[in-house]
């Protein structure tokens, strides 16, 4: 069994997936790990939606790209907007599965809770030889009435962490980290 330090060091975002669809059991196991994350006041205001319908993922990819390039809802480097405008770019990198973690709309610290659940899920995936990539680029679209309707996100929920997952088809490059800025107050 891989230890947590190894999982942290080995986790890299996967952007090249094999077609194999992970089993329901494997996905459920990762979601169980996600729910072991801490949450504010232990309220666990998160919910999970698993999409493996490829036609639907293609549709969301297309619609999210159109939404992002038309409305530019977030400040991104120009090269990312160019990528989003490229017809060949698939926002989920053709991953066989998308796991969307959503939160109760009015939950305090909902982003923190869901991000912690997502990190547990991504580290658990490493230990089971799965790859993941957080797809923030689809989140603004999923939060529109059209996006919500496509996967049935209820009115009292906010989509927070869309995680593409599957077996990696190749090894991801290491992305160099900056030196952490640390202020020691003693
Ligand atoms: C909130 C968030 C949103 C992200 N959105 C995307 C995305 O839309 N597409 C993508 O390819 N990677 C996305 N990533 C992955 C980052 O690009 C990646 O974590 C970073 O480059 C470091 O690389 P590593 O995960 O391989 O260590 C996102 C990561 C986070 C935390």
């Amino acid at each position: 069994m891989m230890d947590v330090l190894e999982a942290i060091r080995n986790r890299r975002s996967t952007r090249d997936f094999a077609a194999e669809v992970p089993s329901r059991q494997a996905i459920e196991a990762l979601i169980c790990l996600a729910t072991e994350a801490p949450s504010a006041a232990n309220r666990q205001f998160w919910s999970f939606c698993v999409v493996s319908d490829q036609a639907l993922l293609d549709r969301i990819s297309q619609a999210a790209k159109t939404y992002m390039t038309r409305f530019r809802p977030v400040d991104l480097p120009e090269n990312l907007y160019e990528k989003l405008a490229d017809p060949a770019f698939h926002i989920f990198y053709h991953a066989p599965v998308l796991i969307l973690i959503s939160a109760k709309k009015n939950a305090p610290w909902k982003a923190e809770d869901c991000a912690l659940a997502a990190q547990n899920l991504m580290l658990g995936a490493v230990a089971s030889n799965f790859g993941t990539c957080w797809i923030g680029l689809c989140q603004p679209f999923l939060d529109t009435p059209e996006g919500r309707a496509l996967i049935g996100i209820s009115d009292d929920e906010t989509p927070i962490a869309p995680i593409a997952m599957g077996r990696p088809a190749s090894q991801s490059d290491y992305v160099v980290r900056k030196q952490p800025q640390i202020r020691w107050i003693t």
Side-chain angles (χ1 to χ4, degrees), residues 115-137:
L116 286 163
Q119 179 73 332
N120 265 21
L121 191 147
M122 293 191 285
L123 292 177
V126 176
S128 308
N129 296 316
F130 288 112
T132 57
C133 188
W134 184 317
I135 310 292
L137 289 174

Side-chain angles (χ1 to χ4, degrees), residues 152-168:
I153 301 170
S154 63
D155 286 346
D156 67 339
E157 283 185 317
T158 304
I160 306 269
I163 310 288
M165 90 156 279
R167 295 273 180 222

Side-chain angles (χ1 to χ4, degrees), residues 11-13 15 93 133-138 173 175 177:
R11 188 213 55 80
R12 298 275 74 93
S13 294
R15 298 187 178 85
Y93 307 99
C133 188
W134 184 317
I135 310 292
L137 289 174
C138 77
D173 291 333
V175 182
R177 294 320 201 234

Side-chain angles (χ1 to χ4, degrees), residues 18-38:
E20 175 195 337
V21 182
S23 69
R24 217 170 242 242
Q25 197 188 11
I27 295 168
E28 272 173 6
L30 293 182
I31 291 174
C32 281
L33 285 177
T35 64
E36 294 292 344

